[in-house]
Amino acid sequence: MATEAAGIDRPLLVDDFLQRRRYQLQLADAAADEHTLVCLPTGLGKTTVSLLVTAERLHEAGGKALFLAPTKPLVQQHADFYREALAIPDDEIVVFTGDVKPDDRAALWDDARIVIATPQVVENDLVGNRISLRDVTHLTFDECHRATGDYAYVYIAERYHADAADPLVTGMSASPGGDTEEIETVCENLGLVNVEVMTEEDADVDEYTHDTDVQWEQVTLPDEVLDIRDALNEVITDRLEKLKQLGVTNTTNPDLSQKDLNKMRGQLKQMMDNDQSDGYKGMSTHAEVMKLRRATELVETQSVESVRRYFERQREAARSSGASKASQRMVADPKVREAMRKAESFDGLHPKFSKARILLAETLGINEGERAILFTESRDTAEALVEFLSASFDVRKFVGQGDKEGSDGMSQKQQQETLDEFKAGEFEVLVSTSVAEEGLDVPEVDLVCFYEPVPTAIRSIQRKGRTGRQAEGKVVVLMAEDTRDEAFFWISRRREKKMASQLAELKEATDDIEETVGDDGQAGLDAFGGGSEDESDSPEAEVGDGAGDAADSDEESEGTGDDDAGLTDFAEEVRESEEEESGESDEADAQASDTDEDAAADDDGVVATAGVDEGVEVVVDQRELDSSIAKDLSTRDGLITRLETLAVGDYVLSDRVAVERKSAADFVDSMLDSDRSMFEQVGELSRAYARPVMVVEGTNLYGQRDIDPNAIRGALASLAVDFDVSVLRTEGEEDTTELLATIAKREQETRDREVSVHGEKTTKTRAEQQEYVVSSIADIGPVTARSLLEHFGTVEAVMTAREEDLLEVDGVGQVTAERIREVVGSEYE
């Protein structure tokens, strides 16, 4: 690449906008030739490297470039940088997030030269056949260490290597993985065959870095705070004793490791799979333990205010309809109530708050610093810190979007405005959750304060990268004595050292890694299609006794609590376990999935496909994107997937065949769903399509929950006999994918039928509406509702009937009659 002394002068670049740095040019030269992983310390311009490659590719090969970043703020930041640095019209550099409607994205894609996007929307657009990667000549994966498991990067890379005519991939990360094997996995998943590493020890890099002083500040918790923790630990010990009696644990120590808790959960799941009632009770007790451990973690490592808010959410959850047994038992426990009262009456200051204020005063006052960032895992803590510190400093919060618990979040626009004001020096302290950790161009600061240790090396390195770029900076980690903080301190230290040594080893071992990923990568590229000219952060399991789980640990596991607990109870417990930590941690914001917003945007209507070759078409309901089926179908030769929000069914395979898919657990759950039963769904499906199909996925249908197998057989019989629905069983998602592809090809190729989405939800008849209204009274159900209506004739007569008249109806006993009169006749409160 041609360069000048002061700046970089290349086609498509704004003259002298970019400072000439030799290491960036070297990395860009390498990445322009092969699919490359670029490893460069935070703050040293990885984005510039990608931009240089993009400019060269667009100039030499034409086409368009795609840049993927994991969060909306990152996407906007990169777009702003590209528009400033490139001599390309701004309207040809477009942003794709869930805020942009799918039909608008499809139109923008065709005219864009550079698309900067979150991976989820690109994944959805590929599955929905709205865009084609054929003309993309450079694809960048920012923060590419995320390319593992089911993360969208993996699917997009597979599609890119298969679909692009002239592909080139650049992966970028400051912290690519914990060991060589992880790095090789990332390379294999993205199809990278070259590894380029620069460390701060490299001569070309050293002049742009400065020392970062890391200090660990220990604080001692007051007795009042320890009393709250001890009361909660007593309850945990009691619950662990119950689990010990079930034979799933040998300890009642409340500080048992997350690894032990995960193992316990696996044993309970096995008991449930074998239809043992103790498994359901144990899973519910396990859920209590997880909730209580979260509370002790908050009081130890965060603040009493955060645990107060947590308790309030648990109380609200326990009072809600369909509350889990675990929530109800926990808030009713005398010891927990005692802890709640202690937390509510505590009017002191958590010592971490005091220490944070002192550090800021030293940095911004005595040492005449200009800016500081305070990171915390908890949004509750972030909001409490902003309120507390505002009395002494000009401080703002930086958090993700709103959560299920109603916490005030920040829109993408508000986030960007806050960062711009921070850079401009309009305020001096930024209190941020994890959403600002990764890659955001936060200006260099005089102090980065960790409110709690971060036991994941990748995240710790990302945070430290916010200081020490242009001048010496300081990092302070607050640690509460004799708490989980100390365990995370040792994990963090060990992993930081390990990451530093591994990056050095990675630099030494690049040839070996390239040989490994080169061989495997080529095999993978061949499997993808090779890009030929054809058309074609885990829970901290290391924490042992005396240490606890991370704030972003595995989701809680819950089950039923009593011998007669029903299926609905269990379904609610599982749902709650999946959502449990959304209110306390901003980790989900760091993940920055646009899936939900994109799904909402897709409700606006049908979007035209990207104009690829014709083939067998499968229409997929937007809500099915949570499974791997839609993505797997979209990669099949001769199959075209299209996304819609279907009124009925999950998949449409022809003008007469639509499929409702349910896992074995979902099938059983929906038998008892009073809001929208399986039979209502199937009824609408059978009225809309001539050949309705129900796919029941999973091998343990009769071992689900505590439902009598004959009840399940009765439901299957009803579907086949009463609704004329074909019920097909599959072993799992892969089997379901094969079945759907087979039916679609048979319908469209063998039978020469076309796909037609003509299903509509049918309006209930008057009689059905009347039955619905009456059945909702005291949850009496549809059978009793019909009996009441047949006896009294109208809904009004049912509502005004006396208790003795109600008792004359078949199926209505004393308890039911009393409940009906209580609901209908009581004052509304």
Side-chain angles (χ1 to χ4, degrees):
M1 295 183 180
T3 62
E4 293 183 352
I8 302 175
D9 183 14
R10 287 287 297 165
L12 299 184
L13 294 182
V14 173
D15 289 346
D16 295 332
F17 178 80
L18 297 175
Q19 179 188 12
R20 183 182 183 277
R21 294 186 179 184
R22 186 182 303 172
Y23 68 87
Q24 291 178 333
L25 296 171
Q26 289 174 346
L27 292 170
D29 283 339
D33 292 334
E34 291 184 286
H35 305 305
T36 300
L37 169 63
V38 174
C39 299
L40 188 64
T42 297
L44 292 173
K46 293 183 298 298
T47 307
T48 298
V49 175
S50 175
L51 182 139
L52 291 170
V53 178
T54 291
E56 179 160 308
R57 286 290 284 177
L58 292 179
H59 177 68
E60 298 292 337
K64 67 182 66 186
L66 175 60
F67 187 112
L68 299 175
T71 69
K72 287 182 180 179
L74 265 177
V75 166
Q76 190 59 54
Q77 176 181 295
H78 291 314
D80 292 342
F81 175 61
Y82 269 55
R83 286 167 179 157
E84 286 185 287
L86 293 173
I88 292 175
D90 284 357
D91 59 0
E92 294 182 12
I93 301 175
V94 301
V95 167
F96 276 19
T97 68
D99 294 333
V100 184
K101 293 183 178 180
D103 49 351
D104 293 339
R105 295 201 302 265
L108 288 168
W109 178 269
D110 292 334
D111 298 327
R113 292 187 73 184
I114 299 175
V115 176
I116 303 176
T118 52
Q120 289 78 18
V121 294
V122 172
E123 179 182 59
N124 288 359
D125 287 346
L126 287 171
V127 172
N129 196 30
R130 301 180 189 120
I131 65 174
S132 169
L133 298 178
R134 176 171 174 75
D135 296 330
V136 174
T137 53
H138 185 217
L139 172 54
T140 300
F141 293 95
D142 191 23
E143 312 299 349
C144 68
H145 51 266
R146 293 173 174 271
T148 59
D150 294 330
Y151 193 69
Y153 279 0
V154 180
Y155 168 76
I156 294 169
E158 179 183 356
R159 287 292 303 268
Y160 181 58
H161 286 293
D163 298 349
D166 185 14
L168 179 68
V169 177
T170 302
M172 305 191 305
S173 180
S175 40
D179 55 38
T180 301
E181 185 176 346
E182 288 181 22
I183 294 165
E184 290 176 354
T185 298
V186 169
C187 290
E188 290 163 6
N189 287 342
L190 297 182
L192 305 176
V193 295
N194 180 41
V195 179
E196 296 290 332
V197 182
M198 291 281 186
T199 70
E200 294 182 353
E201 279 66 48
D202 285 302
D204 291 336
V205 177
D206 182 67
E207 64 180 292
Y208 298 100
T209 63
H210 299 271
D211 291 336
T212 297
D213 176 25
V214 181
Q215 299 176 8
W216 295 83
E217 293 282 351
Q218 195 171 56
V219 301
T220 302
L221 297 181
D223 290 341
E224 299 94 323
V225 174
L226 295 176
D227 288 345
I228 298 171
R229 180 196 65 182
D230 294 343
L232 294 171
N233 277 341
E234 285 186 42
V235 186
I236 294 175
T237 299
D238 175 75
R239 301 303 188 261
L240 288 174
E241 180 62 41
K242 293 181 179 179
L243 292 170
K244 185 177 181 181
Q245 291 172 7
L246 294 179
V248 295
T249 181
N250 294 318
T251 181
T252 59
N253 185 341
D255 290 326
L256 79 169
S257 70
Q258 183 64 41
K259 182 178 181 181
D260 289 337
L261 283 164
N262 293 343
K263 181 179 178 182
M264 213 183 299
R265 185 183 184 186
Q267 291 177 275
L268 291 166
K269 181 67 168 60
Q270 279 188 334
M271 294 170 68
M272 289 163 53
D273 290 343
N274 294 328
D275 206 23
Q276 295 175 251
S277 60
D278 283 348
Y280 297 95
K281 290 191 294 184
M283 193 66 86
S284 185
T285 303
H286 184 279
E288 269 192 280
V289 172
M290 295 296 290
K291 288 177 181 294
L292 290 163
R293 279 168 59 85
R294 177 60 177 159
T296 59
E297 179 186 323
L298 289 172
V299 77
E300 281 187 341
T301 69
Q302 298 296 314
S303 67
V304 177
E305 175 60 25
S306 62
V307 83
R308 267 200 295 259
R309 296 187 187 192
Y310 180 77
F311 281 149
E312 183 56 38
R313 283 193 286 268
Q314 295 304 315
R315 274 195 293 257
E316 289 298 323
R319 287 195 291 260
S320 65
S321 59
S324 69
K325 291 288 195 299
S327 291
Q328 292 173 338
R329 279 198 312 272
M330 187 185 76
V331 299
D333 188 279
K335 283 288 182 183
V336 174
R337 287 182 176 273
E338 177 188 343
M340 289 180 182
R341 286 192 297 271
K342 288 178 181 292
E344 288 164 359
S345 63
F346 179 75
D347 59 0
L349 195 63
H350 196 286
K352 285 189 179 182
F353 276 54
S354 302
K355 179 60 72 172
R357 181 168 58 186
I358 292 170
L359 289 167
L360 290 171
E362 290 175 349
T363 301
L364 303 176
I366 298 172
N367 298 327
E368 298 182 344
E370 296 180 357
R371 283 184 290 256
I373 298 180
L374 179 55
F375 280 113
T376 177
E377 296 291 286
S378 166
R379 182 180 292 186
D380 285 343
T381 301
E383 292 171 349
L385 278 167
V386 169
E387 183 178 349
F388 169 69
L389 294 172
S390 293
S392 307
F393 308 97
D394 191 356
V395 57
R396 309 274 180 84
K397 73 176 180 181
F398 189 84
V399 300
Q401 298 186 35
D403 57 37
K404 299 182 183 73
E405 307 295 343
S407 176
D408 291 334
M410 296 174 68
S411 67
Q412 181 182 355
K413 181 180 179 182
Q414 290 172 323
Q415 290 174 339
Q416 191 60 50
E417 288 174 351
T418 299
L419 286 181
D420 290 342
E421 291 169 0
F422 191 49
K423 292 176 190 176
E426 294 184 23
F427 64 96
E428 54 192 347
V429 180
L430 185 71
V431 177
S432 176
T433 53
S434 53
V435 70
E437 286 179 5
E438 197 162 38
L440 278 180
D441 187 19
V442 177
E444 46 291 340
V445 295
D446 303 289
L447 170 70
V448 169
C449 181
F450 289 52
Y451 190 81
E452 63 282 298
V454 182
T456 303
I458 288 175
R459 291 177 59 192
S460 186
I461 285 175
Q462 298 287 3
R463 285 182 174 182
K464 287 183 184 178
R466 306 275 73 86
T467 186
R469 297 181 191 173
Q470 304 298 332
E472 291 189 6
K474 181 168 70 172
V475 172
V476 176
V477 184
L478 303 182
M479 177 173 59
E481 186 179 5
D482 294 327
T483 69
R484 288 169 172 80
D485 277 352
E486 288 197 346
F488 292 162
F489 162 74
W490 292 110
I491 291 174
S492 182
R493 289 195 62 171
R494 182 168 65 251
R495 291 190 173 183
E496 294 263 3
K497 291 178 180 178
K498 183 178 179 182
M499 177 68 82
S501 65
Q502 284 172 340
L503 283 173
E505 291 170 9
L506 172 61
K507 188 172 179 65
E508 296 293 326
T510 51
D511 290 342
D512 293 336
I513 293 175
E514 286 170 2
E515 183 177 349
T516 301
V517 300
D519 295 340
D520 295 343
Q522 189 55 53
L525 295 181
D526 292 341
F528 290 157
S532 66
E533 294 299 325
D534 281 359
E535 293 295 316
S536 47
D537 302 294
S538 69
E540 303 309 327
E542 293 182 69
V543 181
D545 289 342
D549 54 315
D552 52 350
S553 61
D554 267 358
E555 61 194 24
E556 296 172 13
S557 54
E558 300 188 16
T560 52
D562 304 328
D563 288 333
D564 60 349
L567 180 66
T568 305
D569 291 331
F570 184 83
E572 178 60 28
E573 306 245 5
V574 171
R575 181 200 62 74
E576 183 180 323
S577 74
E578 292 170 348
E579 298 178 354
E580 175 59 36
E581 294 190 7
S582 63
E584 291 84 46
S585 173
D586 237 24
E587 180 67 10
D589 294 313
Q591 303 299 323
S593 170
D594 277 343
T595 306
D596 291 340
E597 293 178 69
D598 196 51
D602 281 355
D603 286 339
D604 292 338
V606 179
V607 180
T609 60
V612 298
D613 295 343
E614 292 186 3
V616 173
E617 186 177 31
V618 177
V619 180
V620 182
D621 183 70
Q622 182 76 33
R623 289 154 291 202
E624 280 291 291
L625 287 174
D626 287 341
S627 76
S628 65
I629 295 172
K631 287 183 283 190
D632 289 346
L633 287 169
S634 73
T635 61
R636 299 295 181 92
D637 289 339
L639 275 182
I640 298 171
T641 49
R642 175 157 56 96
L643 285 181
E644 288 193 28
T645 301
L646 296 175
V648 293
D650 296 320
Y651 301 88
V652 177
L653 307 181
S654 74
D655 59 343
R656 65 174 186 167
V657 177
V659 176
E660 180 76 24
R661 179 186 76 96
K662 291 190 182 298
S663 68
D666 288 341
F667 182 87
V668 175
D669 285 351
S670 63
M671 289 169 55
L672 301 180
D673 189 341
S674 59
D675 292 332
R676 181 162 168 75
S677 74
M678 171 180 60
F679 299 104
E680 182 180 350
Q681 292 174 305
V682 168
E684 291 171 347
L685 190 69
S686 63
R687 286 190 286 270
Y689 291 91
R691 295 288 187 270
V693 175
M694 168 71 79
V695 170
V696 181
E697 189 177 275
T699 57
N700 190 31
L701 179 60
Y702 297 110
Q704 296 297 322
R705 315 299 184 250
D706 51 357
I707 297 298
D708 188 333
N710 282 331
I712 299 173
R713 294 185 185 101
L716 293 171
S718 178
L719 290 174
V721 176
D722 300 333
F723 291 89
D724 198 22
V725 172
S726 299
V727 181
L728 304 178
R729 300 287 305 279
T730 61
E731 294 182 355
E733 290 186 355
E734 185 177 348
D735 193 15
T736 300
T737 303
E738 296 291 349
L739 177 64
L740 294 176
T742 299
I743 296 175
K745 290 178 180 178
R746 187 175 184 275
E747 283 290 287
Q748 296 175 47
E749 292 180 344
T750 305
R751 302 269 180 181
D752 199 25
R753 305 192 76 94
E754 296 182 354
V755 172
S756 176
V757 182
H758 53 73
E760 295 293 341
K761 287 185 179 179
T762 55
T763 303
K764 288 184 174 70
T765 65
R766 179 183 297 171
E768 288 172 332
Q769 293 179 59
Q770 290 170 326
E771 291 171 7
Y772 180 79
V773 171
V774 175
S775 68
S776 67
I777 305 172
D779 297 324
I780 61 176
V783 175
T784 305
R786 282 193 288 271
S787 297
L788 287 164
L789 285 166
E790 288 169 359
H791 182 88
F792 291 105
T794 67
V795 173
E796 182 180 20
V798 174
M799 297 294 188
T800 57
R802 298 176 303 171
E803 186 175 312
E804 51 266 34
D805 295 330
L806 291 170
L807 290 170
E808 296 177 4
V809 179
D810 289 341
V812 177
Q814 186 67 43
V815 173
T816 300
E818 289 176 357
R819 285 167 60 202
I820 292 173
R821 287 309 311 151
E822 180 183 2
V823 171
V824 173
S826 298
E827 288 281 342
Y828 173 71
E829 297 179 2

